[in-house]
Amino acid sequence: MLTVAYDPNNIFAKILRGEAPCFQVYEDEMTFAFMDVMPQAEGHTLVIPKYPAEDLLDLDPEYAAAMAKTVKKIAAAVKKAFDAPGILVAQLNGAPAGQTVFHIHTHIIPRSQGIDLKLHARQMADFDELKKHAERIKAAMN
Ligand code: AMP
């Protein structure tokens, strides 16, 4: 079977190495969280494990557990920071599932009834806004 190797130059790997900028929200030994630059709603946050895997199927189970733990923590903070009635948690595996960045990540997106999600990975947000949103989420964790 032909397998495609993890590309260490994908954008999230660069963010983890500090080679590309991001609006960081949280970091621990095994995971990292930051604002999605093309958010589908205000407060759209991504959680990634510090492990070179394209998707959930390639991810070490210990890191999968660490990612789930961080997702729960960040989802609570995003809900509080954006006063969101609902929180969408999503994780896409493989291009046919809609994955566009090939370092595994989980989306955390605030949801309110009657407000549609913006299109996936389409429109760049204002960086000053993203910075403020990251600060709001960090404050909600304390
Ligand atoms: P997916 O389609 O599930 O692979 O999602 C990739 C997500 O990464 C999309 O929601 C993009 O908006 C987001 N994204 C792409 N490049 C960056 C970046 N440099 N910093 C933050 N988010 C990004």
Side-chain angles (χ1 to χ4, degrees), residues 34-46 78 82 84-88 107-112 115-123 125 129-130 133 136-137:
F34 56 104
M35 303 312 297
D36 192 307
V37 282
M38 290 171 271
Q40 290 185 259
E42 278 197 349
H44 185 166
T45 307
L46 300 170
V78 168
F82 289 87
I87 293 286
L88 172 67
H107 298 262
I108 296 171
I109 310 176
R111 294 302 321 266
S112 298
I115 300 181
D116 289 338
L117 284 182
K118 291 189 196 155
L119 290 176
H120 180 62
R122 198 60 68 87
Q123 197 185 353
E129 283 291 301
L130 287 182
H133 293 168
R136 256 159 84 173
I137 297 167

Side-chain angles (χ1 to χ4, degrees), residues 16 24-33 50 70 74:
L16 275 180
Q24 186 185 332
V25 164
Y26 176 80
E27 178 172 22
D28 63 25
E29 206 184 316
M30 296 170 90
T31 66
F32 191 86
K50 295 179 177 178
T70 300
I74 302 301

Side-chain angles (χ1 to χ4, degrees), residues 2-141:
L2 181 68
T3 53
V4 179
Y6 172 84
D7 175 8
N9 287 318
N10 74 75
I11 187 66
F12 293 174
K14 287 184 178 172
I15 287 173
L16 275 180
R17 291 195 299 266
E19 294 168 8
C22 75
F23 298 98
Q24 186 185 332
V25 164
Y26 176 80
E27 178 172 22
D28 63 25
E29 206 184 316
M30 296 170 90
T31 66
F32 191 86
F34 56 104
M35 303 312 297
D36 192 307
V37 282
M38 290 171 271
Q40 290 185 259
E42 278 197 349
H44 185 166
T45 307
L46 300 170
V47 175
I48 62 177
K50 295 179 177 178
Y51 186 93
E54 285 197 2
D55 62 23
L56 188 62
L57 306 178
D58 291 341
L59 185 61
D60 178 286
E62 294 288 324
Y63 280 85
M67 181 168 71
K69 206 170 159 188
T70 300
V71 165
K72 185 167 160 54
K73 188 193 291 269
I74 302 301
V78 168
K79 183 172 170 60
K80 187 173 162 197
F82 289 87
D83 199 19
I87 293 286
L88 172 67
V89 173
Q91 198 272 304
L92 313 180
N93 297 283
Q99 187 176 3
T100 57
V101 176
F102 294 93
H103 179 110
I104 180 172
H105 50 278
T106 302
H107 298 262
I108 296 171
I109 310 176
R111 294 302 321 266
S112 298
Q113 221 147 25
I115 300 181
D116 289 338
L117 284 182
K118 291 189 196 155
L119 290 176
H120 180 62
R122 198 60 68 87
Q123 197 185 353
M124 197 69 91
D126 179 273
F127 282 7
D128 289 339
E129 283 291 301
L130 287 182
K131 189 165 183 263
K132 283 185 204 148
H133 293 168
E135 293 307 325
R136 256 159 84 173
I137 297 167
K138 280 194 255 185
M141 265 186 284

